[in-house]
């Protein structure tokens, strides 16, 4: 008869500290492994939260995007559940501030996952447009609107095939345009301006000019650079779609201009 090995709290905590040590000298795969085992055994809620952050960072640095996505979702769930039940020792105001800070970090860290995972752009739209995270963007980091707008544009053409996911993407674009309009006083760039000119001002010439600048922004952005061709293709699609929706006759010059822009880069 085999006896099971019992680990005391100090031995379990040692896994956490050794995972930190592995991370500190660049063994990110080892760090993720030790933190994973720590999370299975630990009942320390504070250390578990820290370990989830560390494991997410390790999975991002090793490019394990499926695993990183799982970790990101677990971290979000933990942060959201903590916010709904403040500690007796912590005021509601301090708890809300801590939640806001954690969600701000989630928004930034998630960009690594959402712009590398195959389904990332759709998942980004779902997360960033949820009330809690949209409020965080508007409150603490309006510059994240660049990535929200870019994800909506990049995903739009694929949604023409129909389906549940496609319907969410189409609806997301309308939501993003509303947010761009509301937050223009806080943040704007060529990508958000492109949507504004196209869907709010209905100025197709101005939209095409903004698109030319937006393509350069996308090309030089750390997260968006690999999506330059998709962004341009989808943006042209949006211009054509919007133009045909409000005009009975097609201006060939406008269509040609869109085609010319698509071949400038």
């Amino acid at each position: 008869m085999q006896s099971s090995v019992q680990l005391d709290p100090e031995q379990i905590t040692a896994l956490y500290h050794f995972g930190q040590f592995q991370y500190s000298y660049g063994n990110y795969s080892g760090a993720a492994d030790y933190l994973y085992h720590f999370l299975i055994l630990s009942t320390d809620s504070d250390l578990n939260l820290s370990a989830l952050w560390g494991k997410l960072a390790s999975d991002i640095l090793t490019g394990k995007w499926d695993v990183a996505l799982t970790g990101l979702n677990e971290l979000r769930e933990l942060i959201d559940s903590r916010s709904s039940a403040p500690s007796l020792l912590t005021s509601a105001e301090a708890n809300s501030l801590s939640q806001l800070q954690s969600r701000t970090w989630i928004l930034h860290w998630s960009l690594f996952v959402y712009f590398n995972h195959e389904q990332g752009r759709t998942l980004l739209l779902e997360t960033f447009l949820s009330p809690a995270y949209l409020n965080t963007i508007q409150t603490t980091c309006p510059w994240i609107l660049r990535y929200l707008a870019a994800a909506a544009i990049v995903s739009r053409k694929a949604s023409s095939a129909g389906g549940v996911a496609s319907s969410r993407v189409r609806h997301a674009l309308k939501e993003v345009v509303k947010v761009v309009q509301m937050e223009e006083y806080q943040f704007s760039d060529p990508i958000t301006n492109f949507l504004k000119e196209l869907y709010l001002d209905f100025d197709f010439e101005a939209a095409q000019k903004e698109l030319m600048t937006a393509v350069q922004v996308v090309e030089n952005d750390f997260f968006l650079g690999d999506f330059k061709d998709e962004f341009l293709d989808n943006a042209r699609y949006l211009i054509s779609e919007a133009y045909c929706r409000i005009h009975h006759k097609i201006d060939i010059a406008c269509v040609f201009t869109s085609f010319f822009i698509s071949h400038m880069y």
Side-chain angles (χ1 to χ4, degrees):
M1 184 174 179
Q2 295 181 346
S3 60
S4 59
V5 178
Q6 297 293 328
L7 297 177
D8 60 44
E10 292 180 355
Q11 291 173 313
I12 295 172
T13 303
L15 288 171
Y16 170 82
H17 291 302
F18 198 59
Q20 279 188 318
F21 173 71
Q22 297 292 321
Y23 185 91
S24 68
Y25 77 84
N27 183 11
Y28 304 121
S29 179
D33 189 47
Y34 281 106
L35 292 173
Y36 168 78
H37 287 92
F38 167 77
L39 286 164
I40 292 176
L41 299 169
S42 173
T43 57
D44 187 320
S45 58
D46 290 330
L47 284 184
N48 286 352
L49 180 60
S50 177
L52 281 171
W53 281 112
K55 188 175 183 304
L56 175 60
S58 299
D59 292 330
I60 288 173
L61 289 165
T62 53
K64 297 178 180 177
W65 303 118
D66 287 330
V67 180
L69 178 61
T70 299
L72 180 66
N73 291 335
E74 291 175 355
L75 190 54
R76 281 177 48 213
E77 290 174 6
L78 181 57
I79 290 170
D80 292 344
S81 65
R82 277 185 151 210
S83 67
S84 63
S87 167
L88 294 175
L89 301 177
T90 307
S91 68
E93 293 81 4
N95 190 74
S96 296
L97 178 59
S98 176
Q99 173 199 31
L100 184 63
Q101 291 171 335
S102 295
R103 284 176 171 164
T104 301
W105 279 108
I106 281 282
L107 286 165
H108 288 81
W109 285 42
S110 68
L111 295 177
F112 290 97
V113 181
Y114 289 144
F115 283 103
N116 282 283
H117 192 278
E118 184 179 3
Q119 303 299 323
R121 273 62 63 205
T122 299
L123 296 173
L124 182 151
L125 292 172
E126 293 175 354
T127 300
F128 286 19
L129 286 173
S130 64
Y133 286 91
L134 183 56
N135 178 68
T136 302
I137 292 172
Q138 293 171 309
T139 304
T140 65
C141 48
W143 50 86
I144 293 291
L145 286 175
R146 165 183 291 188
Y147 302 102
L148 181 57
I153 293 170
V154 167
S155 304
R156 179 59 182 93
K157 190 175 180 182
S159 72
S160 61
V164 177
S166 301
S167 177
R168 285 200 299 269
V169 172
R170 287 196 296 270
H171 184 64
L173 184 60
K174 296 178 182 178
E175 290 185 71
V176 171
V177 171
K178 290 180 182 178
V179 176
V180 166
Q181 183 180 26
M182 287 189 297
E183 300 303 317
E184 185 182 9
Y185 75 100
Q186 285 201 95
F187 176 83
S188 65
D189 74 353
I191 298 175
T192 60
N193 286 341
F194 167 72
L195 292 178
K196 172 181 174 292
E197 297 294 352
L198 186 61
Y199 290 108
L200 297 174
D201 298 338
F202 302 104
D203 188 333
F204 293 95
E205 183 177 350
Q208 289 166 351
K209 290 179 179 178
E210 291 291 349
L211 177 57
M212 294 175 67
T213 307
V215 170
Q216 296 175 350
V217 170
V218 168
E219 185 176 22
N220 291 289
D221 187 278
F222 178 86
F223 296 106
L224 303 178
D226 290 341
F227 296 90
K228 173 191 167 185
D229 293 338
E230 288 181 63
F231 177 86
L232 182 55
D233 190 36
N234 279 270
R236 289 175 54 233
Y237 176 86
L238 292 177
I239 291 175
S240 300
E241 180 185 57
Y243 189 88
C244 292
R245 187 173 295 166
I246 65 174
H247 289 85
H248 295 294
K249 295 182 179 181
I250 304 298
D251 185 345
I252 298 301
C254 180
V255 176
F256 177 78
T257 302
S258 297
F259 177 83
F260 177 70
I261 292 174
S262 70
H263 289 78
M264 287 179 64
Y265 304 94

